[in-house]
Amino acid sequence: MTEGRIPVERRRRKPTKSGVLLSGDLIVDCALRLVAQHGPDALSVRRLGAALGCDPSAVYRYFHNTDDLLLAVADRIIGESMAGFAPGDDWVEDLRNMGLRIHRAYSEHPRIAAMAAYRVTRRINEVRAVETGIGRLRSAGFDDATAVRYYAAFVDTALGHAALDASHLALPPERRAQDHSAWTDTYQSLPADTHPQLAAVREHLPLMAESSFGTALELLLSALAAQAPR
């Protein structure tokens, strides 16, 4: 059989120089690893080709461009967050579980979160998450338009906090330490005559260094539960 008659899919499965079979999943694995090690600039076909031991152009057999690859990476993270999730009888608990899962998944990939959390992947894992979330709100009795609006508010809260907290985690350790200590070294030392409100809550100001996602999630869920028709 001549080269020109070999099916495209078989040509794509040709081993790389490192002896592994190239695939979309393998490229996504490599992209996650490179960004985790070197930051967003590592998401390039040149870096991917070098890491995979293949010609950089081979990446284009699986992804149109690096943005297409980024969307696949984002969908992988959503898939990780939804792995093993099964809706139960309590729609509020289901949304809480989904929110915590999303936040945890992006926190595990802090350097990719700021790049990917705000994108719409249009892929299978995101579709599953949207289908599930809107379905849980409809099961609570919300009309269709309200269920969509409230799901958007819910998921944006989870993803927004995930991106914020992940960006903080991606900072160099010394910068994270500086930001954390600001609440004790700077804000706690402000005098009461010029900053009476801060002085009144002085002992609680270190709480500002913690993630507010859990608090925001509970406030949102309480508001949704209070408005639920059922």
Side-chain angles (χ1 to χ4, degrees):
M1 181 180 291
T2 64
E3 172 65 20
R5 297 180 60 186
I6 296 176
V8 172
E9 196 55 40
R10 283 182 58 187
R11 292 204 301 270
R12 289 179 177 178
R13 299 296 288 174
K14 182 180 178 180
T16 66
K17 294 176 183 177
S18 59
V20 298
L21 292 175
L22 200 61
S23 68
D25 284 340
L26 184 65
I27 294 171
V28 170
D29 289 341
C30 184
L32 281 168
R33 185 173 66 255
L34 286 177
V35 173
Q37 294 173 348
H38 306 291
D41 291 341
L43 195 65
S44 71
V45 293
R46 182 182 62 81
R47 296 288 290 272
L48 286 164
L52 290 166
C54 67
D55 189 291
S57 64
V59 175
Y60 294 123
R61 297 173 184 166
Y62 299 88
F63 303 99
H64 299 303
N65 48 44
T66 53
D67 191 65
D68 189 34
L69 173 56
L70 175 62
L71 295 180
V73 169
D75 202 65
R76 166 72 69 80
I77 297 174
I78 296 172
E80 290 178 3
S81 74
M82 295 294 289
F85 174 78
D89 297 328
D90 186 337
W91 66 270
V92 174
E93 183 57 32
D94 286 342
L95 289 182
R96 177 181 291 109
N97 192 359
M98 285 182 65
L100 293 172
R101 283 168 166 266
I102 291 169
H103 187 268
R104 181 170 58 250
Y106 276 97
S107 295
E108 291 173 355
H109 302 283
R111 293 186 126 181
I112 203 74
M115 302 168 60
Y118 64 94
R119 299 302 304 275
V120 181
T121 75
R122 305 181 295 277
R123 286 164 165 79
I124 185 170
N125 293 315
E126 181 184 72
V127 170
R128 177 193 171 200
V130 175
E131 169 77 8
T132 300
I134 291 177
R136 301 313 291 134
L137 287 164
R138 292 183 71 240
S139 75
F142 292 110
D143 64 74
D144 293 347
T146 301
V148 171
R149 288 198 305 271
Y150 284 0
Y151 177 74
F154 161 77
V155 76
D156 283 353
T157 296
L159 289 172
H161 278 269
L164 179 67
D165 292 341
S167 295
H168 178 70
L169 289 173
L171 286 172
E174 63 275 11
R175 293 186 184 178
R176 290 204 309 270
Q178 289 171 359
D179 287 354
H180 190 279
S181 64
W183 297 105
T184 53
D185 297 344
T186 302
Y187 283 87
Q188 280 191 328
S189 62
L190 293 171
D193 58 338
T194 57
H195 300 83
Q197 304 307 321
L198 293 176
V201 299
R202 193 189 310 277
E203 64 179 297
H204 304 293
L205 286 174
L207 294 173
M208 292 290 292
E210 301 176 4
S211 171
S212 63
F213 171 64
T215 300
L217 179 62
E218 292 306 320
L219 287 171
L220 178 58
L221 292 176
S222 295
L224 291 176
Q227 296 184 52
R230 297 175 186 167

